[in-house]
Amino acid sequence: MQILLVEDDRPLAKGLQQALQKQGYAVNHVETGQACLHVVKTEPPDILVLDLGLPDIDGLAVLKQIRQHTKSLPVLLLTARDSANDKVAGLDGGADDYLAKPFEMAELLARLRVLERRLSTVKSAEICIGD
Ligand code: CA
């Protein structure tokens, strides 16, 4: 499972990357919205973990651009913004899930497993159609 982690907070990103790798995920880490868009286009991940507060493009704007190209990529938003309005904006903007910082690693991992399960359902359905 390939995860693209977009997070400009280096200590947090490093901790996340190590924890995810420990769970067997392959993690590609970038720090800007621009880099995220580039990687999504050139080497699409299975799951995108996207921080909203990025140094160049706002995470929500990044998400909107991604959704113009692909509806199927599972996206989990990470952010310090935890008001209801921000959650609604994130989910309406095309996110599949939303986690407010600070969060427990165990919760992030559980939410990723949910996205993963959904992904395998979609994939096996596609195989059935092909047959
Ligand atoms: Ca940030």
Side-chain angles (χ1 to χ4, degrees):
M1 194 63 52
Q2 176 80 42
I3 293 184
L4 174 60
L5 172 64
V6 188
E7 172 59 75
D8 61 315
D9 178 334
R10 284 190 187 168
L12 175 63
K14 199 165 182 211
L16 283 175
Q17 192 165 10
Q18 283 170 351
L20 291 171
Q21 282 168 344
K22 226 171 149 184
Q23 299 295 317
Y25 293 106
V27 184
N28 197 348
H29 170 230
V30 297
E31 295 182 356
T32 63
Q34 206 57 259
C36 168
L37 290 170
H38 178 75
V39 173
V40 166
K41 255 183 229 162
T42 53
E43 31 182 333
D46 297 308
I47 297 176
L48 174 64
V49 177
L50 177 64
D51 180 30
L52 283 187
L54 295 170
D56 55 348
I57 317 170
D58 185 79
L60 268 184
V62 173
L63 179 60
K64 277 181 190 150
Q65 284 197 47
I66 289 172
R67 282 299 180 235
Q68 286 170 6
H69 299 285
T70 170
K71 302 272 184 238
S72 59
L73 174 65
V75 176
L76 190 152
L77 294 180
L78 287 184
T79 177
R81 310 172 197 175
D82 62 352
S83 78
N85 281 346
D86 287 328
K87 285 180 189 169
V88 170
L91 295 170
D92 280 347
D96 295 274
D97 204 356
Y98 194 107
L99 202 50
K101 297 175 189 172
F103 53 84
E104 294 291 328
M105 196 61 210
E107 184 176 357
L108 173 64
L109 292 173
R111 288 175 183 273
L112 287 174
R113 286 194 293 273
V114 171
L115 294 180
E116 234 178 298
R117 278 202 297 276
R118 218 180 285 161
L119 205 58
S120 63
T121 315
V122 173
K123 276 189 178 161
S124 58
E126 279 169 3
I127 291 166
C128 288
I129 293 163
D131 286 342

